[in-house]
Amino acid sequence: MPQKGRSACPINLALEQLGDHWTLIVIRDLMFGNRRTYGDLLANSEEGIASNILADRLKRLVAAGLLSKAPDPQHRQKAIYSLTEPSIQLVPLLAHLGSWGRRHTAPSRELSVRAELLEAGGPALWDAFMEELRYLHLGAQAPERSVFKELQAAYEQAMRDGPAPGQGTAPAP
């Protein structure tokens, strides 16, 4: 059954699912920061998402099938959010957005290092990252390579190196 929206255009339908600022930021934080609980997403938001906005986006993303929600076995009042296959398939889109943002905006070196690596690695790296996300979020077999660790190590190194001349410091993702 076709999805309903303002039009059946695939770009319109995608934007109706992903088109607000916070939706892709929440997906980014689960994808690149491996933040899995509401509290972790809220406490570590670089952009300072408000608690009501985060709660709304998590609810919308679960309803849209882009995230799943399961009880936290270590804490009865917490939930663990996981990426689903459709959100994992957003890796190339986020890689392209990061690449575009590196070229056409003034990002910090620390926060753009992952985008730089994803751009340089291209589709082969994106596929390896998606394979690892399937392991981390969907319980698939563990891959031999950890792209997540490579991206995190590059970010941590950039943080140790400090900002480029003329830039401020970036908060941890």
Side-chain angles (χ1 to χ4, degrees):
M1 182 171 160
Q3 287 187 306
K4 298 197 187 295
R6 289 186 185 100
S7 79
C9 168
I11 293 171
N12 173 66
L13 292 171
L15 287 174
E16 286 186 12
Q17 291 284 315
L18 305 169
D20 74 273
H21 170 79
W22 294 113
T23 297
L24 286 176
I25 295 300
V26 170
I27 291 172
R28 177 207 65 191
D29 286 352
L30 268 92
M31 190 176 286
F32 295 102
N34 202 27
R35 298 185 191 129
R36 305 291 291 276
T37 66
Y38 170 87
D40 198 23
L41 287 160
L42 185 65
N44 295 301
S45 171
E46 294 165 31
E47 292 79 15
I49 190 169
S51 60
N52 62 323
I53 300 288
L54 177 59
D56 179 69
R57 288 319 175 276
L58 289 170
K59 183 187 279 188
R60 284 188 197 185
L61 287 163
V62 169
L66 294 169
L67 296 181
S68 64
K69 178 182 177 182
D72 184 339
Q74 297 178 353
H75 194 287
R76 293 182 341 169
Q77 295 179 344
K78 287 186 179 181
I80 304 287
Y81 291 92
S82 296
L83 299 170
T84 61
E85 183 61 29
S87 57
I88 289 170
Q89 290 180 16
L90 290 171
V91 165
L93 173 68
L94 291 176
H96 282 292
L97 278 172
S99 177
W100 185 92
R102 285 183 60 246
R103 286 191 307 275
H104 300 289
T105 67
S108 73
R109 185 171 49 89
E110 298 89 354
L111 292 178
S112 64
V113 69
R114 291 182 184 115
E116 182 179 353
L117 292 175
L118 286 168
E119 182 178 4
L125 185 65
W126 308 341
D127 288 343
F129 189 38
M130 288 188 291
E131 182 182 347
E132 183 172 14
L133 291 171
R134 289 182 186 103
Y135 162 69
L136 293 171
H137 292 266
L138 303 177
Q141 184 175 353
E144 291 182 26
R145 178 182 186 185
S146 178
V147 175
F148 182 85
K149 287 182 182 175
E150 293 172 26
L151 296 173
Q152 188 63 23
Y155 168 76
E156 289 171 4
Q157 182 62 50
M159 289 299 290
R160 283 190 297 275
D161 292 346
Q167 287 188 341
T169 59

